Amino acid sequence: MLSASLKPPPSLPAISPSSRAPALPAASFLSLLPSRGRVRLSAAASEGATVSQEDAASVSAAFEEARLAQFAADWKAVRADKDQGKILTLPVLRSNTGGLILKYNSMQGFVPNPLLSPAHWSKDPKRPIQDVTKDLVGSSVSVKVVEANEAEKKLVFSEKDASWSMYSSQVKIGGTYDGIVGSVFHYGAFVHLRFPDGKYHLTGLVHISEVSWDLVQDVQDFLTEGDIVKVIVVNVDAEKSRIGLSIRQLEEDPLLETLDKIIPLEPDLSPDAETASSPPEIELLPGLDGICNELLQEDGITDVRFGRQALEKRVVSQDLELWLSSVPAKDNQYKLLARAGRQVQEVYLTTSLDQEGVKKAVQRVLGRVP
């Protein structure tokens, strides 16, 4: 019996892979384990899930940190661009009724319609601005930063400012341009200037006083949006980015036409000879006599006499205006031109003053006389 019990047990047949029991689902496997083992494995599974949630939260926090860092870097960069006056070329993402939305690195900025270049709509000024801006989506525009407020998340660009930087150096006083009338106001009209490339890059103002030699009480009686006009540059203010324009200075001054054509100058320019040419039916301009008396009170002015009179074709101003002729003095005589309504009167001053001295004397007198 003892020897039998010490015999090795009979060998078991080998189990081929195909004869193994099919693998059980994890759930079935867990159900076969003692309850203690199930608790242990369930706890491990729960711990693994907790680790995954922590990883996701960590990734999300890292992403947010990187996003905020990028925003901070972009705000710093855009403030530097503003301070340097840098011209940026940025893509247009979309448009709305108020303007364009541009992409600046990770941020978006806004170009209000009034800050767009006139080049976009000048050729067809009556086209709705919303249609114009819609066509710009997908293109790129050149702009400058005009406001970068990180606290208020406000980023504003101006295409007009960029155009000024690029094209204003070409604008010189005395230069003439073809233009299209834009907005018209009681104080004047804005005119978009056509450059050699055929585009209207800059805008200038024709003040009401520079619209016409005629008396202008309402600018809209003379100019309408979309009108084609020719203008001359009379002022360029680089500091304020403003251009002053004139229409009337490209036309002949009706005052000169009156004196030189209606009453031609005679060889004898003495006051007596000129007075003889004066139409007898025209009376002296109201207030002119008092101005002349005041001129005689100025040091250096010894005599004041009236010369020719004439009627202009058009009313230039209802107020009395006094002009100093640019004609050089002859025998210490300067000629003033007084005008009001259609009436023109020549006034001759005999003086020891030079032209600048006469000008200052006239200005002082006009300051005293109501």
Side-chain angles (χ1 to χ4, degrees):
M1 294 293 294
L2 182 59
S3 59
S5 64
L6 294 177
K7 290 181 181 180
S11 59
L12 297 175
I15 301 176
S16 65
S18 59
S19 62
R20 291 177 181 170
L24 295 175
S28 302
F29 178 70
L30 290 177
S31 66
L32 296 176
L33 296 175
S35 60
R36 185 176 178 181
R38 285 203 304 271
V39 172
R40 185 170 62 251
L41 288 178
S42 298
S46 176
E47 182 180 355
T50 302
V51 170
S52 297
Q53 291 175 0
E54 290 176 351
D55 289 345
S58 177
V59 170
S60 178
F63 177 81
E64 180 66 13
E65 183 178 353
R67 188 177 71 88
L68 294 176
Q70 181 64 55
F71 277 158
D74 288 345
W75 278 113
K76 182 178 180 180
V78 80
R79 285 193 295 268
D81 289 340
K82 179 180 182 297
D83 294 340
Q84 296 169 9
K86 188 175 180 180
I87 297 176
L88 309 170
T89 301
L90 302 177
V92 180
L93 297 179
R94 59 187 182 278
S95 66
N96 56 32
T97 56
L100 297 177
I101 291 86
L102 309 184
K103 178 178 174 59
Y104 180 94
N105 295 343
S106 65
M107 305 187 299
Q108 295 180 8
F110 186 60
V111 184
N113 287 333
L115 296 185
L116 290 172
S117 166
H120 299 306
W121 67 80
S122 291
K123 291 185 178 180
D124 188 5
K126 295 185 179 180
R127 187 183 183 200
I129 185 62
Q130 288 77 15
D131 292 346
V132 174
T133 54
K134 185 177 180 181
D135 289 346
L136 293 174
V137 175
S139 67
S140 295
V141 293
S142 297
V143 296
K144 294 180 75 172
V145 183
V146 294
E147 184 174 359
N149 190 325
E150 184 176 1
E152 297 181 6
K153 301 295 188 288
K154 193 173 183 180
L155 180 56
V156 182
F157 299 104
S158 170
E159 191 181 19
K160 276 188 175 180
D161 285 17
S163 294
W164 177 268
S165 296
M166 292 187 289
Y167 296 100
S168 62
S169 61
Q170 301 178 30
V171 181
K172 306 296 183 184
I173 294 177
T176 58
Y177 289 85
D178 293 324
I180 294 181
V181 177
S183 303
V184 180
F185 299 93
H186 68 278
Y187 54 83
F190 288 95
V191 175
H192 309 307
L193 305 180
R194 187 176 186 270
F195 280 72
D197 62 1
K199 295 183 179 180
Y200 298 82
H201 295 292
L202 298 178
T203 302
L205 174 67
V206 179
H207 189 265
I208 184 172
S209 63
E210 295 294 336
V211 171
S212 173
W213 288 108
D214 291 333
L215 177 62
V216 181
Q217 294 181 329
D218 188 343
V219 179
Q220 293 182 341
D221 291 339
F222 292 80
L223 297 173
T224 304
E225 184 177 3
D227 287 350
I228 306 297
V229 295
K230 199 168 192 66
V231 295
I232 183 171
V233 178
V234 296
N235 182 53
V236 178
D237 189 333
E239 185 176 343
K240 296 182 179 180
S241 302
R242 293 177 180 175
I243 300 174
L245 305 171
S246 175
I247 295 175
R248 78 169 189 166
Q249 290 190 31
L250 289 175
E251 303 172 351
E252 186 176 12
D253 184 349
L255 174 64
L256 299 179
E257 179 182 347
T258 297
L259 295 178
D260 297 339
K261 295 182 180 179
I262 296 180
I263 307 178
L265 290 174
E266 301 176 4
D268 185 359
L269 298 180
S270 66
D272 292 338
E274 298 295 346
T275 304
S277 302
S278 303
E281 68 276 7
I282 300 180
E283 297 180 357
L284 194 66
L285 288 169
L288 183 57
D289 193 42
I291 291 176
C292 291
N293 289 332
E294 286 293 327
L295 284 171
L296 287 171
Q297 305 306 313
E298 290 289 321
D299 292 337
I301 298 179
T302 58
D303 190 30
V304 178
R305 295 188 183 184
F306 299 119
R308 299 174 302 171
Q309 290 180 329
L311 293 177
E312 299 186 70
K313 293 180 180 179
R314 299 175 289 185
V315 175
V316 175
S317 174
Q318 295 290 4
D319 298 327
L320 177 62
E321 297 180 343
L322 205 58
W323 297 50
L324 175 61
S325 174
S326 59
V327 178
K330 182 180 179 181
D331 297 330
N332 293 328
Q333 266 192 0
Y334 283 93
K335 182 170 67 176
L336 300 178
L337 301 176
R339 64 200 297 191
R342 293 178 56 225
Q343 189 173 346
V344 183
Q345 172 75 60
E346 288 181 331
V347 180
Y348 288 91
L349 300 182
T350 301
T351 176
S352 60
L353 302 174
D354 59 12
Q355 190 175 52
E356 186 62 26
V358 172
K359 180 180 177 181
K360 291 181 178 179
V362 170
Q363 290 174 336
R364 286 194 296 270
V365 167
L366 294 178
R368 295 198 301 266
V369 177

